[in-house]
Amino acid sequence: MTARDDSVAILHGSADNSLRWVWLSKKSGTITIARVDRGGFFFSDFGAPGSQDIAASLPRLWSSQLAGVNLSGHATHHLAPPSMQSIEPIPKAEVIDPCKTEAMF
């Protein structure tokens, strides 16, 4: 999924158990619109698809992160080796909770 297609990818950071929502915009390229990590959560609405659903899920996911829950099952995409530059989808069967953004994939 190297082409920008106006969808949102959720990436998991294994080093810090974070989640990052990245808008793959045809017009603007790759834009980070939200992030959950140990320090809190961040959201910036650039007009990405599903922004309201993403914003609504952030407090719940941050609470889970603070409770020590592994958030990797929420990721919908991963960075593909070897260059780690291409964002590729994870098979839907492996995604346990798409954070209410499943219609975008």
Side-chain angles (χ1 to χ4, degrees):
M1 185 166 181
T2 53
R4 305 296 177 232
D5 60 4
D6 287 325
S7 68
V8 174
I10 305 171
L11 303 171
H12 179 253
S14 57
D16 62 356
N17 192 31
S18 64
L19 289 177
R20 184 170 32 128
W21 285 255
V22 179
W23 181 19
L24 307 174
S25 169
K26 289 179 186 174
K27 181 179 178 183
S28 305
T30 303
I31 302 169
T32 298
I33 56 172
R35 181 177 171 87
V36 170
D37 61 26
R38 197 119 181 93
F41 53 90
F42 152 85
F43 176 77
S44 185
D45 186 354
F46 292 101
S51 293
Q52 292 178 351
D53 290 337
I54 294 167
S57 69
L58 295 176
R60 175 181 58 87
L61 290 167
W62 185 49
S63 294
S64 296
Q65 207 266 1
L66 291 176
V69 175
N70 185 336
L71 301 180
S72 64
H74 298 275
T76 60
H77 291 69
H78 66 93
L79 295 176
S83 67
M84 306 302 275
Q85 298 296 313
S86 177
I87 298 173
E88 301 293 335
I90 295 171
K92 282 190 180 267
E94 296 178 26
V95 179
I96 60 168
D97 178 2
C99 306
K100 302 182 188 230
T101 59
E102 60 195 358
M104 288 177 268
F105 304 104

